[in-house]
Amino acid sequence: MSTKVSDHVLRRLREWGVEQVFGYPGDGINGLLAAWGRAENQPRFIQSRHEEMSALQAVGYAKFSGRLGVCVATSGPGAIHLLNGLYDAKLDHVPVVAIVGQTHRSAMGGSYQQEVDLHALFKDVASEFLETVTVPEQLPNVLDRAIRTAYARRCPTAVIIPGDVQELDYSPPTHEFKMVPSSLDRSSWTAIPSEESLQRAAEILNSGDKVAILVGQGAAGARAEVERVAEMLGAGVAKALLGKDVLSDELPYVTGSIGLLGTRPSYELMRDCDTLLTIGSSFPYTQFLPEFDKARGVQIDIDPHMVGMRYPYEVNLVGDAKATLQRLILLLDAERGERDWYETVCANVKRWRGVMERRALQSADPINPEYVAHTLDALLPSDAIVTSDSGSAANWYARHLTMRPGMRGSLSGTLATMGCGVPYAIGAKFAHPDRPVIALVGDGAMQMNGLAEMITAAKYRDLWEDPRLVVAVWNNHDLNQVTWEMRAMGGAPSFLPSQELPDVRYAEFARSLGLTGIRVEKPEDVEAGWRAGLEADGPAVIEFLTDPAVPPVPPHATWDQMEATAASILRGDADSASMVRQGFKAKVQEFLPGREKK
């Protein structure tokens, strides 16, 4: 039997080390599906409930494996459905390749069924590399370049293969004019900044008395070096959300997350520092960075297109974080006499941990959402992978979970798309089938995407060496993050027709699939609920009935935000009494002396 173009696509993916492809079938990729049958499902085809979920699963897989994520969809509607997940990959700088079908070449341009101008559709999201294969000889170069570009630029790329081309006999490029051969090898490389720029950066850092470090996901491979620099400079370290698992939160100088979802010690770190070192982060909210005239700045980033945008840095070091820090360490002062700043940072962190514990232990109706995350923190397995959806659950993920060495965590950091938590978790299970995965999801996101993807979890549960995939749902019948944003930023009361969610029995749905389903209605049952989910012999949904009146707004909220929230109450917010009670109880914990969490 002759080798078809579709056969060669799968063979080439295998040669690149691709072990699974996340997708959904359709007649625009019938040729590929037939090839999968001939290839005995290698690489494994992972069927989601929706192409958007396939793309998000590929993103989750790539984030947690460090390898290429691949997704596949049919032409027209399938290709359109991929977009949200591909934009998530683009904005969070994740390597993903989309392989997409198209109508037959003979029908293109004829307004044929499911014909969409895919180049126009993907022009922005796959701007780094987008190509249509029209003859077999194109294939190896196009597919190889899509993969290399995705890795090198940390971005999504797309390859379009018309249905009839998939069925053609494969023939490689020949040694002739206008033929483009290709090869598989992708050797590693390291970018490092110039010695002169390193010297200038060291001068700034050595002269600082109150140094703050901000790390993002780009610092993930430089954990030891970041710790060494922080200790040499007596610095505090704040983390962008995508960098939450870069350093252990058990280190006394790690202040936690930064920004609207951040912590008070991170806010104080940026407010009071005189020097800022940013490593592998493009955190966009300048209002949470130091005042422009108060701190000198140094940035390290591997992407020259991403430097110098967020803060008026004096030195922008373009290079790999690990290699750059290793060279920078040689130029830093080994002994710094003044440690008052370091001790202040550590004291702020210690105090904040006590505040968060007291906030979590406040009563609510029926369950304090902070208590749900606070209770999980002590129960997290040492090798856990945690995904968070967008929404108020991300606040609790950012503030209450202590990342310890070996743990991983991520969310949709830049696009902040709803509905990513469960598909990310499924992607993580295929990246690490021997590790437990926990997804933290609001009821809005669970209704949007999570319920259907529990079917996917049930379908593939037997492939995972460690069967634990725990999905925790904060069930408060409210699109809570947007509700609070309306109150705090616009002074508008909650608009119930848009914000109120129907009541869904999430645990019952899980049980209908043969999975573990747990419904927790009282605070005293929260710990037992978590334990039951973490001890289940397969995927589990834990449904926590939580109070929507507990505010997720940051503890360092401005007076303008507080006045706006008060204005929403005066304008007749439906939950005004509970808002006042819970908001006061949460805020007052910052001013109470109390037992601090060790």
Side-chain angles (χ1 to χ4, degrees):
M1 180 183 294
S2 62
T3 298
K4 304 295 184 183
V5 165
S6 54
D7 296 312
H8 191 73
V9 169
L10 299 187
R11 183 170 73 188
R12 203 67 168 177
L13 291 176
R14 292 192 296 272
E15 290 170 345
W16 276 102
V18 175
E19 295 177 351
Q20 48 262 316
V21 176
F22 301 90
Y24 200 82
D27 60 6
I29 54 171
N30 275 351
L32 283 167
L33 298 176
W36 251 296
R38 294 190 291 271
E40 297 181 346
N41 200 22
Q42 295 297 322
R44 178 178 280 114
F45 186 99
I46 308 300
Q47 180 203 76
S48 69
R49 306 308 103 208
H50 188 289
E51 291 91 349
E52 180 186 343
M53 300 301 96
S54 296
L56 287 170
Q57 286 161 13
V59 174
Y61 175 86
K63 281 189 171 188
F64 291 112
S65 69
R67 300 169 63 188
L68 181 76
V70 182
C71 55
V72 63
T74 188
S75 59
I80 294 167
H81 282 164
L82 289 177
L83 284 177
N84 194 54
L86 295 180
Y87 270 107
D88 189 45
K90 179 173 182 172
L91 272 61
D92 276 0
H93 306 286
V94 179
V96 171
V97 172
I99 300 173
V100 184
Q102 176 60 292
T103 190
H104 285 34
R105 292 172 297 173
S106 59
M108 291 175 65
S111 296
Y112 209 71
Q113 185 189 30
Q114 297 191 339
E115 181 188 359
V116 170
D117 185 344
L118 295 180
H119 273 261
L121 182 73
F122 288 120
K123 181 180 180 181
D124 179 54
V125 73
S127 56
E128 297 291 351
F129 189 84
L130 167 64
E131 193 53 72
T132 296
V133 176
T134 58
V135 294
E137 290 81 5
Q138 266 183 287
L139 181 62
N141 176 62
V142 168
L143 188 55
D144 290 350
R145 283 199 69 198
I147 292 171
R148 284 200 189 91
T149 303
Y151 271 126
R153 303 282 175 86
R154 298 168 294 115
C155 68
T157 60
V159 175
I160 303 163
I161 311 177
D164 59 321
V165 174
Q166 297 169 33
E167 303 280 9
L168 295 176
D169 289 341
Y170 174 70
S171 55
T174 58
H175 192 236
E176 295 179 21
F177 186 50
K178 294 191 177 180
M179 288 284 184
V180 183
S182 188
S183 58
L184 279 166
D185 186 56
R186 185 182 70 92
S187 60
S188 60
W189 54 275
T190 301
I192 56 173
S194 68
E195 187 64 27
E196 181 271 337
S197 62
L198 286 166
Q199 293 279 357
R200 289 192 294 122
E203 182 276 322
I204 293 171
L205 296 173
N206 284 329
S207 64
D209 294 320
K210 300 177 179 180
V211 181
I213 298 175
L214 171 62
V215 297
Q217 64 176 346
R223 176 174 298 190
E225 289 75 16
V226 174
E227 290 183 19
R228 177 64 176 145
V229 169
E231 290 161 3
M232 291 180 74
L233 297 175
V237 182
K239 302 189 285 189
L241 272 180
L242 287 175
K244 183 169 173 63
D245 61 1
V246 167
L247 285 187
S248 170
D249 287 306
E250 294 177 318
L251 295 169
Y253 53 81
V254 172
T255 61
S257 300
I258 188 174
L260 281 171
L261 277 61
T263 70
R264 184 162 187 87
S266 289
Y267 169 75
E268 293 164 337
L269 181 75
M270 295 295 157
R271 182 193 65 192
D272 300 333
C273 71
D274 63 16
T275 308
L276 173 65
L277 171 61
T278 299
I279 307 170
S281 173
S282 186
F283 177 76
Y285 303 114
T286 54
Q287 69 269 36
F288 290 101
L289 298 177
E291 293 287 342
F292 292 164
D293 59 349
K294 289 183 62 177
R296 304 179 74 185
V298 174
Q299 180 182 21
I300 300 172
D301 201 285
I302 198 169
D303 189 344
H305 299 96
M306 297 299 292
V307 297
M309 295 194 302
R310 309 306 190 194
Y311 192 80
Y313 298 103
E314 291 184 49
V315 180
N316 295 305
L317 299 175
V318 177
D320 171 77
K322 184 180 182 71
T324 300
L325 289 173
Q326 287 174 339
R327 287 159 177 80
L328 190 59
I329 285 169
L330 301 176
L331 305 175
L332 296 179
D333 292 343
E335 299 292 336
R336 294 170 65 93
E338 185 57 61
R339 303 296 284 180
D340 288 351
W341 170 247
Y342 175 84
E343 291 170 2
T344 297
V345 170
C346 294
N348 289 342
V349 171
K350 186 176 181 181
R351 180 179 180 276
W352 174 251
R353 289 172 180 164
V355 169
M356 293 309 292
E357 181 173 26
R358 293 194 297 273
R359 283 183 57 169
L361 296 177
Q362 294 303 303
S363 61
D365 183 19
I367 299 172
N368 185 337
E370 299 197 60
Y371 181 63
V372 175
H374 172 78
T375 303
L376 170 65
D377 186 46
L379 302 175
L380 275 175
S382 60
D383 59 345
I385 298 173
V386 183
T387 70
S388 172
D389 220 296
S390 299
S392 59
N395 291 272
W396 321 136
Y397 164 79
R399 296 180 189 151
H400 282 282
L401 293 195
T402 303
M403 283 290 162
R404 296 180 282 275
M407 292 182 181
R408 295 293 313 280
S410 194
L411 75 179
S412 178
T414 314
L415 186 61
T417 183
M418 277 183 67
C420 66
V422 175
Y424 265 24
I426 292 171
K429 287 300 292 186
F430 281 101
H432 297 284
D434 59 339
R435 297 176 65 171
V437 177
I438 299 99
L440 313 181
V441 183
D443 49 354
M446 194 66 176
Q447 290 181 19
M448 180 181 284
N449 289 338
L451 284 169
E453 284 313 297
M454 292 311 301
I455 301 172
T456 305
K459 178 180 174 70
Y460 293 107
R461 58 182 294 180
D462 293 337
L463 297 180
W464 302 325
E465 180 182 337
D466 185 321
R468 291 174 292 177
L469 192 163
V470 180
V471 177
V473 183
W474 273 255
N475 184 1
N476 58 22
H477 307 159
D478 183 52
L479 290 170
N480 202 231
Q481 186 77 1
V482 173
T483 293
W484 279 101
E485 287 170 350
M486 290 171 63
R487 291 164 175 161
M489 297 179 183
S494 176
F495 179 58
L496 292 181
S498 73
Q499 301 308 109
E500 190 174 39
L501 289 168
D503 188 20
V504 173
R505 296 287 176 142
Y506 305 96
E508 287 185 15
F509 179 78
R511 289 195 291 270
S512 76
L513 299 175
L515 307 179
T516 298
I518 304 157
R519 182 177 169 93
V520 179
E521 301 180 349
K522 297 181 293 184
E524 55 266 32
D525 296 332
V526 168
E527 181 175 344
W530 275 121
R531 289 188 181 278
L534 290 167
E535 293 169 3
D537 61 355
V541 172
I542 315 174
E543 174 187 357
F544 296 98
L545 273 61
T546 58
D547 189 343
V550 175
V553 291
H556 49 276
T558 65
W559 281 110
D560 287 343
Q561 290 170 332
M562 294 171 70
E563 289 173 357
T565 304
S568 77
I569 298 171
L570 294 175
R571 290 171 187 166
D573 196 292
D575 207 15
S576 57
S578 296
M579 283 170 53
V580 172
R581 181 175 64 254
Q582 296 298 341
F584 174 78
K585 286 162 61 177
K587 189 68 178 175
V588 78
Q589 302 310 313
E590 296 179 48
F591 305 101
L592 293 175
R595 180 176 60 84
E596 290 170 335
K597 188 176 180 181
K598 301 299 183 183

PDB file of all heavy atoms in Angstrom, residues 67 138 282 291 354 394 399 466:
ATOM      1  N   ARG A  67       6.854  20.453  26.343  1.00  0.00           N
ATOM      2  CA  ARG A  67       6.944  19.931  24.984  1.00  0.00           C
ATOM      3  C   ARG A  67       5.850  20.536  24.116  1.00  0.00           C
ATOM      4  O   ARG A  67       4.953  21.239  24.591  1.00  0.00           O
ATOM      5  CB  ARG A  67       6.832  18.407  25.003  1.00  0.00           C
ATOM      6  CG  ARG A  67       7.925  17.728  25.829  1.00  0.00           C
ATOM      7  CD  ARG A  67       7.638  16.259  26.046  1.00  0.00           C
ATOM      8  NE  ARG A  67       7.610  15.528  24.785  1.00  0.00           N
ATOM      9  CZ  ARG A  67       7.228  14.251  24.675  1.00  0.00           C
ATOM     10  NH1 ARG A  67       6.839  13.600  25.766  1.00  0.00           N
ATOM     11  NH2 ARG A  67       7.247  13.652  23.526  1.00  0.00           N
ATOM     12  N   GLN A 138       5.597  19.676  -0.534  1.00  0.00           N
ATOM     13  CA  GLN A 138       5.661  20.752   0.458  1.00  0.00           C
ATOM     14  C   GLN A 138       5.717  20.243   1.892  1.00  0.00           C
ATOM     15  O   GLN A 138       6.213  20.935   2.783  1.00  0.00           O
ATOM     16  CB  GLN A 138       4.386  21.616   0.373  1.00  0.00           C
ATOM     17  CG  GLN A 138       4.435  22.848  -0.479  1.00  0.00           C
ATOM     18  CD  GLN A 138       3.101  23.557  -0.335  1.00  0.00           C
ATOM     19  OE1 GLN A 138       2.096  23.089  -0.867  1.00  0.00           O
ATOM     20  NE2 GLN A 138       3.103  24.669   0.376  1.00  0.00           N
ATOM     21  N   SER A 282       6.171  39.487  31.756  1.00  0.00           N
ATOM     22  CA  SER A 282       5.624  40.637  31.044  1.00  0.00           C
ATOM     23  C   SER A 282       4.368  41.122  31.751  1.00  0.00           C
ATOM     24  O   SER A 282       3.380  41.494  31.118  1.00  0.00           O
ATOM     25  CB  SER A 282       5.315  40.285  29.581  1.00  0.00           C
ATOM     26  OG  SER A 282       4.920  41.444  28.870  1.00  0.00           O
ATOM     27  N   GLU A 291       6.618  53.229  41.596  1.00  0.00           N
ATOM     28  CA  GLU A 291       6.477  54.527  40.938  1.00  0.00           C
ATOM     29  C   GLU A 291       7.683  54.758  40.032  1.00  0.00           C
ATOM     30  O   GLU A 291       8.816  54.411  40.377  1.00  0.00           O
ATOM     31  CB  GLU A 291       6.393  55.641  41.978  1.00  0.00           C
ATOM     32  CG  GLU A 291       5.128  55.614  42.821  1.00  0.00           C
ATOM     33  CD  GLU A 291       3.889  56.058  42.047  1.00  0.00           C
ATOM     34  OE1 GLU A 291       4.059  56.696  40.983  1.00  0.00           O
ATOM     35  OE2 GLU A 291       2.767  55.752  42.496  1.00  0.00           O
ATOM     36  N   GLY A 354      -0.761  35.121  58.487  1.00  0.00           N
ATOM     37  CA  GLY A 354      -1.726  35.133  59.573  1.00  0.00           C
ATOM     38  C   GLY A 354      -3.036  35.784  59.174  1.00  0.00           C
ATOM     39  O   GLY A 354      -4.118  35.305  59.529  1.00  0.00           O
ATOM     40  N   ALA A 394      -9.561  32.120  40.823  1.00  0.00           N
ATOM     41  CA  ALA A 394      -8.160  32.482  40.613  1.00  0.00           C
ATOM     42  C   ALA A 394      -7.615  33.300  41.774  1.00  0.00           C
ATOM     43  O   ALA A 394      -6.412  33.250  42.068  1.00  0.00           O
ATOM     44  CB  ALA A 394      -7.999  33.242  39.302  1.00  0.00           C
ATOM     45  N   ARG A 399      -3.751  33.430  46.238  1.00  0.00           N
ATOM     46  CA  ARG A 399      -3.432  33.900  47.587  1.00  0.00           C
ATOM     47  C   ARG A 399      -3.299  32.793  48.623  1.00  0.00           C
ATOM     48  O   ARG A 399      -2.586  32.950  49.611  1.00  0.00           O
ATOM     49  CB  ARG A 399      -4.505  34.897  48.049  1.00  0.00           C
ATOM     50  CG  ARG A 399      -4.543  36.158  47.219  1.00  0.00           C
ATOM     51  CD  ARG A 399      -5.615  37.101  47.734  1.00  0.00           C
ATOM     52  NE  ARG A 399      -5.775  38.212  46.794  1.00  0.00           N
ATOM     53  CZ  ARG A 399      -6.901  38.868  46.611  1.00  0.00           C
ATOM     54  NH1 ARG A 399      -7.981  38.527  47.295  1.00  0.00           N
ATOM     55  NH2 ARG A 399      -6.967  39.864  45.758  1.00  0.00           N
ATOM     56  N   ASP A 466      -1.629   7.415  37.751  1.00  0.00           N
ATOM     57  CA  ASP A 466      -2.257   7.967  38.952  1.00  0.00           C
ATOM     58  C   ASP A 466      -3.637   8.447  38.532  1.00  0.00           C
ATOM     59  O   ASP A 466      -3.764   9.391  37.744  1.00  0.00           O
ATOM     60  CB  ASP A 466      -1.434   9.136  39.503  1.00  0.00           C
ATOM     61  CG  ASP A 466      -1.976   9.672  40.829  1.00  0.00           C
ATOM     62  OD1 ASP A 466      -3.214   9.745  40.989  1.00  0.00           O
ATOM     63  OD2 ASP A 466      -1.166  10.035  41.699  1.00  0.00           O
TER      64      ASP A 466
END
